[in-house]
Amino acid sequence: MVLVTKLTKLLNIKHPIIQGGMQHIGKAELASAVSNSGALGILTALTQPTPEALRQEIKRCREMTAKPFGVNLTFLPTIQPPPYREYANVIIEEGVQVVETAGNNPGEYIKMFKEANIKIIHKCVAIRHALTAQRLGVDAVSIDGFECAGHPGEDDITLFILLAKCARQLEIPFIASGGIGDGRGLAAALALGAEGVNMGTRFMCTSEAPLHKAIKQKMVESDERSTTLVYRPFRNTARIFKNQVAIKVNTLEKREGVKFDDIAEFVSGIRGKEVFKTGDSEFGVWTAGQVLGLIDDIPTCDQLVKRMVKEAEFIIKERLDKIVK
């Protein structure tokens, strides 16, 4: 048995599961393993230092899987933005079939991708953003609940509410993201109207994910209380792993009149990258979602996906179906 949804048909994948884009993690090793499992793997464009490096990563991923995979392109508010158009051109030139967009004002790039017949999934943290993405012509939206790793927005709305509201207001398919880590979450998302799920943190803790095993083990040992929120004074909230650096940042952020410069040295992306490389979970800040509470092993991507689908099928057929009399 398989779970056939609008998402599996849209993306030509076997299982309604997507591995979301993740900085420093979304590389060919992980994306290809996810795609080989029957789900959709995603390369993270900005993990690559240049557009040409992305081109080579796409080619490397193609050598590791014959299945569909996508590329994440996140548009960040920054003084010196990356060469987004060049990254987008590489995605188009290399014939990538699916793009996951995120961040601010992707309109011109959505137009580019649509003209190239690329399927577009836009990540949103609010219904109003999802409605805008729908008007811009994306094929689906991935809706991030407050539980998610990374940036959950400033509204603090959990996934249950967001999914139910998406079902009421959206006409295009939507995908559940944030707090999904097992077959129960997949079944619940489908019950609430989603056509599939997107997972980041859960896929970080797989054998193929390109980060130090000590970090994966730290994730296994953690629970749903092991994250914290930073950047709230600057209205750019992010959920990260709760280590001593994060606690220090939280303390500094409580000071009246705090400025980003007061915490900059502690939240450096270079330090976060070193965490994944060296296995020192206390060296810098790194993103993780509340789904940590559902992670208790380090499976292969194939084992994880098959287990999730089997659990979801059992719940739908053996539990939910038998409730109805």
Side-chain angles (χ1 to χ4, degrees):
M1 296 292 291
V2 292
L3 300 170
V4 179
T5 72
K6 292 178 182 178
L7 184 69
T8 61
K9 294 177 181 178
L10 176 70
L11 304 183
N12 192 29
I13 56 178
K14 184 176 181 181
H15 304 303
I17 299 171
I18 295 175
Q19 165 248 314
M22 293 176 281
Q23 187 69 347
H24 310 311
I25 306 297
K27 299 180 180 179
E29 291 84 357
L30 178 60
S32 63
V34 173
S35 289
N36 284 333
S37 76
L40 185 77
I42 299 278
L43 298 174
T44 304
L46 298 186
T47 288
Q48 302 303 319
T50 66
E52 283 306 308
L54 173 62
R55 189 189 304 277
Q56 296 307 312
E57 192 71 2
I58 291 170
K59 290 180 177 179
R60 195 165 72 94
C61 196
R62 283 219 173 93
E63 293 174 354
M64 303 167 76
T65 183
K67 302 288 183 65
F69 64 89
V71 175
N72 166 280
L73 187 57
T74 298
F75 303 97
L76 303 168
T78 178
I79 296 173
Q80 293 184 316
Y84 289 124
R85 182 166 287 275
E86 287 85 350
Y87 278 104
N89 284 335
V90 166
I91 291 169
I92 293 168
E93 291 165 5
E94 290 302 314
V96 173
Q97 300 175 32
V98 183
V99 169
E100 178 189 63
T101 56
N104 298 332
N105 302 318
E108 67 173 294
Y109 299 99
I110 288 174
K111 184 178 180 181
M112 286 177 63
F113 294 138
K114 282 179 68 67
E115 289 175 351
N117 201 31
I118 295 172
K119 303 301 182 187
I120 307 160
I121 302 170
H122 186 64
K123 295 191 74 172
C124 307
V125 296
I127 299 299
R128 61 187 183 278
H129 300 157
L131 289 168
T132 298
Q134 179 175 265
R135 286 195 297 272
L136 289 173
V138 304
D139 296 281
V141 294
S142 179
I143 195 81
D144 274 5
F146 186 54
E147 306 92 331
C148 73
H151 296 280
E154 306 304 316
D155 296 338
D156 300 358
I157 308 299
T158 56
L159 189 61
F160 246 56
I161 302 299
L162 290 172
L163 293 182
K165 198 155 187 179
C166 280
R168 292 184 180 188
Q169 297 194 8
L170 292 181
E171 297 175 3
I172 59 174
F174 59 93
I175 303 154
S177 181
I180 308 291
D182 60 15
R184 294 180 184 87
L186 174 55
L190 296 174
L192 281 161
E195 300 293 339
V197 298
N198 177 300
M199 303 192 303
T201 303
R202 176 63 268 202
F203 275 122
M204 282 175 64
C205 203
T206 56
S207 60
E208 296 96 341
L211 67 156
H212 200 286
K213 189 172 182 179
I215 301 302
K216 300 176 189 181
Q217 187 58 40
K218 188 71 174 178
M219 295 170 73
V220 169
E221 295 167 359
S222 302
D223 63 24
E224 64 275 15
R225 301 166 298 174
S226 300
T227 72
T228 190
L229 299 171
V230 294
Y231 310 152
R232 304 225 85 176
F234 318 111
R235 294 193 61 77
N236 189 31
T237 299
R239 186 179 298 282
I240 63 174
F241 187 80
K242 191 176 184 179
N243 58 12
Q244 290 304 309
V245 181
I247 292 170
K248 175 68 173 179
V249 171
N250 282 160
T251 300
L252 291 172
E253 287 180 330
K254 291 177 182 178
R255 293 180 179 176
E256 187 174 351
V258 64
K259 298 178 181 178
F260 187 78
D261 286 347
D262 299 330
I263 65 169
E265 64 176 298
F266 301 104
V267 299
S268 162
I270 295 175
R271 290 179 63 164
K273 185 176 181 179
E274 283 297 302
V275 167
F276 296 142
K277 183 178 179 181
T278 66
D280 182 357
S281 64
E282 295 291 332
F283 186 74
V285 300
W286 49 286
T287 59
Q290 291 180 327
V291 74
L292 285 173
L294 301 178
I295 296 175
D296 54 16
D297 65 351
I298 309 172
T300 66
C301 291
D302 189 63
Q303 289 169 337
L304 173 62
V305 169
K306 286 181 177 176
R307 183 172 71 197
M308 284 185 63
V309 171
K310 184 177 180 180
E311 288 174 353
E313 288 177 350
F314 178 83
I315 290 168
I316 293 167
K317 292 171 60 180
E318 300 299 324
R319 175 171 167 73
L320 298 183
D321 186 59
K322 291 182 179 179
I323 290 174
V324 181
K325 301 295 184 182

